[in-house]
Amino acid sequence: MQTQIQHTPDGCVTCPVHNAGNLKKLGIDMSDWDYVVALAGNPNTGKSTVFNALTGLRQHTGNWPGKTVTRAEGGFSYADSRYKLVDLPGTYSLLSTSLDEEVARDFILFGQPDVTIIVLDATRLERNLNLALQVLEITDRAVACLNLMDEAKRHGLVVDDRRLARDLGIPVVPTAARYGRGLPELLQAVHEVATGQTVCKPYRIKSESSAVQKAINQLVQQLQAAFPGLPNARWVALRLLDGDQSIIRAVRNGELGHLNAPAPQQNNRIELEVLA
Amino acid sequence: MTTYPLNGRGAIAPQPTSDPHDAVLQMAESLRWQIGQGFHEHLMEDIYTNAAQLADRAVTRPGEKPRFDLDRTIDRIVTSRIWGFPMMIAMLAIVFWLTIIGANYPSQFLASILIDTMVPLLHQIAAAIGLPWWLSGLLIDGMYLATAWVVSVMLPPMAIFFPLFTLLEDFGYLPRVAFNLDNAFKKSGAHGKQALSMMMGFGCNAAGVIATRVIDSPRERLIAIITNNFALCNGRWPTQILIASLFVGALAPAYISGLVSALAVVGIAVLGVLLTFVVSWSLSRTVLRGELSTFSLELPPYRPPRVLQTIYTSLIDRTLYVLWRAVVFALPAGAVIWLIGNVTVQGVSIAEYMVNFLNPAGILFGLNGVILLAYVVAIPANEIVIPTILMLTVMMLGVTGDVGAGAGVMFELDEPLAVKSLLTAGGWTLLTAVNLMLFSLIHNPCSTTIYTIYKETGSKKWTAVSALLPLALGFTVTFFVAQIWRLAAMWLGS
């Protein structure tokens, strides 16, 4: 006890961020959750490590892409709220049709997580942002976990997380999940987004071509008329223009209509097991 | 024209033909014509450009040119055209060599405690409390003994092998192996990602079958599922290691016998990989013909393995998991073995009937009746093949030591290589050992894997193919090896 206080400036002790003791790892106990949090990211960026660190589970982590093809679920509680954490398969994009990408996409789209943590590899930021931008088209409530900062440092890279946060319009938390660094800050950011204390204004993909821009805007209007309150009309429009069969099907049979269900508060939401 | 596809949930509850929905689709359709082709490419390009801009703003690289990059240097060696494959084989050989050298002594130690000391002790206790002979036989000579065999034969090699393998995995070596093998997979008409599911199969085939989900094309996924069984799984490594060190390693002088046995196991594993290619190739040329798909494989950075954590998790997750599975299956199997060994019809035990019935077939394939019967008993789990073989051999020989009385009871284990002398007494030769190693590699997957294949493919036909194809192949291979071996022996002998 004595030594802990010695190393810590007084102000920190009262700060919620400092107090990692707030975190209670619940393992597979996911009963009565208040919020659902999804973990998305490229393969091999440390999603499973973050998952294990937060839930206390020991899902096998391997240093190779493609480790997680199904989703794993676990629970934790933080600051008096209970969270259910869903580890999605690692993917490079959400635009193709392989099973792992569909699992990830459908969960973010239909499962409507309260917060999506986008795990980014700080040493390969450009490629990782491709996925992040696609996720941000689908959901507004996201936190970027800028992971593997230790490796970035080793490679001599300096990543400006504040600038990135400003550009992306979501909280960005630098972490080194393998060593547990930055996880308290990550939890705090997730909590603030989940409870609505932080409101995100995510970056939208800008198109070079004005014809495309116009087409998207037109289609978005039509979509909003057909599905009032659809939260990600822009993304649906993009997919329709791309001829995505499963989205076309969802429009046709009205499945998209479920997405304007009342803002997720408690357990009254429809949990869709799409394709799982 | 609006068609309602039958798959998906839309078909269950008929939707009212809602105008706004169709209006959206019609508009999307006409807009797609206006934009013209290549929207997908445009979109991808936009995403890449946007991401590049954002990354550029956030990341600053130190001015100088990249200095010596350790990762790239290692990659250049381990994925090199010349050194890639030798390095892979050497790496595997080192792992097995360490396992074989290290497992010998603890195995004997465990056997002497669990079997030589405990069995008589348990018998004394049973006699003291007056258990009937059949109950003490079933419990001690059946269930306890089978479990004791599983623990003493399998625990030491697993406790050494799995942590070593996991360290390699944690270090980041496996994707390099996949990279090396990719070209060969392409040539066999299979998906390069099959290398990844094969790597998972080296741990557990059921997991490997699930891992094939990363492959998009159903054709290539089926090939990966059917051939996954040729990746030696957790349950079969100990069999290979034990038989190799008893029979193959023993041929060489003592100071290199460990190395020779390690190379024998590597040989079997490499044979499994070759079979994967051959079977993939023939499937993709015959029943599963089709286009190749491309993919990108990321070579992750090397990370210093977290030694203590790796050892802990591989002990808990893999070693204890496999051991537990083996024990769970060994308990009833031990009871079954004791029963068929002791229930007699006209003075001959059922086991003897079965073994004698299977023996001619076994001999034809260079194996024996005991091994075939053991593989029938061990369909639920490959882990108990060796213990079953040992117990059945003991029973067939009717060995009686100073330990207890009756068939199916232990002999003295305090001499080194007692297992080998037992098997030799059971009529084993080098041919039997080699063919057992081959058959252990090439036979039907365990029942868990078969069930997983059924769940993944949803097809009885492909499940049957995945189960029977390796079995047929295994009998073919062992048959020819046995015949050629005997011809060669005759020719050399004359």
Side-chain angles (χ1 to χ4, degrees):
Chain A
M1 243 17 250
Q2 207 56 36
T3 50
Q4 232 180 10
I5 291 164
Q6 263 177 4
H7 290 292
T8 321
D10 286 341
C12 289
V13 181
T14 50
C15 167
V17 172
H18 170 77
N19 209 345
N22 250 339
L23 170 69
K24 212 183 284 161
K25 301 171 180 182
L26 297 175
I28 53 166
D29 176 10
M30 290 169 280
S31 51
D32 305 320
W33 71 83
D34 302 306
Y35 303 104
V36 177
V37 177
L39 267 174
N42 281 14
N44 206 37
T45 50
K47 282 183 307 304
S48 298
T49 311
V50 173
F51 178 84
N52 290 347
L54 294 184
T55 58
L57 290 173
R58 275 182 291 98
Q59 210 206 357
H60 183 68
T61 59
N63 181 8
W64 50 299
K67 189 73 222 187
T68 317
V69 282
T70 48
R71 23 176 260 234
E73 303 185 350
F76 66 90
S77 96
Y78 178 78
D80 295 329
S81 304
R82 292 172 74 89
Y83 289 83
K84 175 168 137 178
L85 187 62
V86 181
D87 190 11
L88 299 175
T91 57
Y92 294 104
S93 96
L94 298 174
L95 299 175
S96 106
T97 49
S98 71
L99 198 55
D100 45 346
E101 292 194 8
E102 244 170 51
V103 169
R105 186 199 69 185
D106 286 341
F107 189 80
I108 302 175
L109 179 62
F110 295 109
Q112 289 187 286
D114 296 289
V115 184
T116 303
I117 301 177
I118 309 169
V119 183
L120 302 171
D121 178 348
T123 63
R124 290 160 171 72
L125 193 58
E126 179 178 337
R127 198 196 57 209
N128 278 254
L129 282 175
N130 289 332
L131 176 77
L133 294 182
Q134 295 173 38
V135 172
L136 291 182
E137 286 291 331
I138 306 182
T139 178
D140 280 353
R141 287 182 299 246
V143 173
C145 164
L146 191 56
N147 197 22
L148 303 177
M149 284 301 276
D150 49 324
E151 270 175 35
K153 202 171 158 195
R154 199 154 55 80
H155 291 285
L157 295 174
V158 182
V159 185
D160 185 348
D161 54 291
R162 292 183 184 190
R163 157 146 272 164
L164 192 61
R166 258 201 314 275
D167 284 351
L168 288 177
I170 57 170
V172 174
V173 184
T175 62
R178 255 157 76 89
Y179 308 101
R181 269 177 247 146
L183 292 178
E185 288 85 341
L186 178 67
L187 277 170
Q188 183 61 21
V190 168
H191 183 71
E192 282 172 10
V193 173
T195 52
Q197 292 168 48
T198 304
V199 178
C200 305
K201 291 186 200 69
Y203 181 93
R204 297 294 185 204
I205 298 166
K206 295 180 184 68
S207 180
E208 305 272 312
S209 138
S210 61
V212 171
Q213 292 279 28
K214 235 177 82 188
I216 294 173
N217 290 340
Q218 246 180 309
L219 198 53
V220 165
Q221 272 181 6
Q222 188 78 25
L223 272 165
Q224 274 164 347
F227 302 97
L230 184 68
N232 29 34
R234 219 184 92 97
W235 186 81
V236 174
L238 282 175
R239 297 315 298 142
L240 287 177
L241 291 176
D242 205 2
D244 183 324
Q245 285 305 318
S246 63
I247 298 299
I248 290 178
R249 205 154 50 230
V251 169
R252 185 175 285 139
N253 62 28
E255 204 174 331
L256 270 184
H258 294 303
L259 295 188
N260 52 19
Q265 249 324 308
Q266 287 296 316
N267 297 336
N268 58 352
R269 128 198 43 179
I270 314 149
E271 241 252 300
L272 284 171
E273 282 282 319
V274 189
L275 269 179
Chain B
M1 192 182 77
T2 326
T3 52
Y4 289 85
L6 281 175
N7 55 344
R9 293 171 314 157
I12 299 166
Q15 298 289 326
T17 327
S18 33
D19 288 327
H21 296 179
D22 280 344
V24 167
L25 291 179
Q26 272 159 23
M27 177 184 252
E29 197 55 39
S30 70
L31 284 173
R32 286 184 70 192
W33 281 106
Q34 283 173 33
I35 300 172
Q37 285 203 331
F39 175 75
H40 190 78
E41 278 67 30
H42 277 305
L43 181 62
M44 294 306 288
E45 231 167 80
D46 288 336
I47 293 175
Y48 276 72
T49 323
N50 284 214
Q53 279 166 2
L54 289 172
D56 234 43
R57 283 162 60 91
V59 181
T60 30
R61 280 159 229 276
E64 300 116 320
K65 272 202 303 195
R67 292 151 299 170
F68 171 72
D69 186 328
L70 186 63
D71 281 17
R72 214 170 303 153
T73 313
I74 299 178
D75 269 345
R76 215 172 289 146
I77 299 168
V78 300
T79 62
S80 109
R81 273 167 197 275
I82 301 164
W83 295 110
F85 279 91
M87 287 276 293
M88 238 156 60
I89 290 170
M91 207 81 99
L92 269 179
I94 291 171
V95 167
F96 290 127
W97 181 71
L98 288 174
T99 308
I100 288 167
I101 295 286
N104 212 357
Y105 183 73
S107 257
Q108 277 175 31
F109 175 73
L110 278 176
S112 80
I113 290 188
L114 290 177
I115 298 172
D116 293 355
T117 315
M118 281 303 286
V119 170
L121 196 68
L122 286 172
H123 269 295
Q124 279 168 14
I125 295 172
I129 59 175
L131 280 186
W133 71 270
W134 57 268
L135 190 57
S136 74
L138 188 68
L139 292 178
I140 300 170
D141 299 330
M143 297 167 86
Y144 173 78
L145 200 57
T147 316
W149 271 120
V150 164
V151 174
S152 64
V153 169
M154 295 186 53
L155 182 58
M158 285 195 308
I160 299 171
F161 174 71
F162 291 145
L164 287 177
F165 198 74
T166 318
L167 281 177
L168 271 188
E169 186 183 343
D170 205 36
F171 175 59
Y173 184 60
L174 292 194
R176 274 74 189 183
V177 174
F179 181 87
N180 285 340
L181 294 178
D182 173 59
N183 195 27
F185 275 110
K186 203 176 97 192
K187 287 207 176 104
S188 1
H191 198 292
K193 280 189 195 168
Q194 194 175 326
L196 295 177
S197 63
M198 190 176 79
M199 288 297 139
M200 290 286 276
F202 279 129
C204 168
N205 293 136
V209 168
I210 293 176
T212 62
R213 288 185 191 175
V214 292
I215 300 172
D216 328 347
S217 126
R219 177 189 79 87
E220 290 162 326
R221 204 174 150 203
L222 261 178
I223 295 181
I225 288 178
I226 294 172
T227 54
N228 195 271
N229 188 41
F230 297 124
L232 267 184
C233 70
N234 279 346
R236 293 182 278 169
W237 287 114
T239 309
Q240 301 288 350
I241 292 171
L242 184 77
I243 299 297
S245 49
L246 286 186
F247 284 88
V248 183
L251 293 177
Y255 63 98
I256 51 163
S257 72
L259 192 63
V260 171
S261 1
L263 288 176
V265 180
V266 172
I268 292 288
V270 169
L271 178 68
V273 176
L274 290 180
L275 274 174
T276 305
F277 292 136
V278 172
V279 174
S280 302
W281 184 84
S282 24
L283 284 173
S284 69
R285 292 289 179 293
T286 52
V287 279
L288 289 170
R289 239 175 304 199
E291 290 288 301
L292 275 178
S293 21
T294 53
F295 79 110
S296 57
L297 174 73
E298 180 192 351
L299 293 183
Y302 292 101
R303 289 171 190 158
R306 290 159 295 174
V307 177
L308 288 179
Q309 194 178 345
T310 304
I311 290 175
Y312 174 78
T313 48
S314 67
L315 278 180
I316 300 295
D317 289 356
R318 289 193 171 170
T319 311
L320 287 187
Y321 168 77
V322 175
L323 190 68
W324 174 243
R325 212 172 97 95
V327 166
V328 165
F329 284 108
L331 281 172
V336 169
I337 296 165
W338 187 86
L339 282 175
I340 60 176
N342 283 275
V343 175
T344 53
V345 180
Q346 293 168 347
V348 180
S349 70
I350 296 178
E352 220 167 325
Y353 274 119
M354 294 169 85
V355 169
N356 288 337
F357 175 73
L358 290 171
N359 238 338
I363 303 290
L364 190 63
F365 296 112
L367 301 164
N368 60 37
V370 166
I371 297 177
L372 289 186
L373 183 57
Y375 268 96
V376 175
V377 176
I379 285 176
N382 279 301
E383 285 86 340
I384 59 168
V385 165
I386 282 291
T388 309
I389 287 175
L390 292 177
M391 289 189 67
L392 283 172
T393 308
V394 171
M395 264 174 214
M396 295 307 296
L397 293 175
V399 181
T400 45
D402 52 356
V403 159
V409 187
M410 270 332 297
F411 48 93
E412 293 186 52
L413 254 185
D414 38 17
E415 57 176 310
L417 298 180
V419 173
K420 185 183 179 185
S421 52
L422 169 68
L423 292 176
T424 316
W428 283 49
T429 61
L430 183 59
L431 171 64
T432 325
V434 168
N435 267 359
L436 174 60
M437 287 172 76
L438 287 171
F439 192 70
S440 154
L441 171 72
I442 324 169
H443 72 285
N444 55 293
C446 72
S447 54
T448 315
T449 305
I450 296 178
Y451 179 63
T452 312
I453 293 174
Y454 178 66
K455 272 199 307 196
E456 291 294 315
T457 59
S459 143
K460 288 197 179 102
K461 187 183 105 190
W462 288 115
T463 311
V465 169
S466 325
L468 297 178
L469 184 121
L471 190 63
L473 201 60
F475 279 126
T476 317
V477 168
T478 47
F479 177 78
F480 279 107
V481 168
Q483 305 319 314
I484 292 167
W485 188 290
R486 282 170 188 148
L487 279 179
M490 245 157 52
W491 183 68
L492 286 174
S494 66

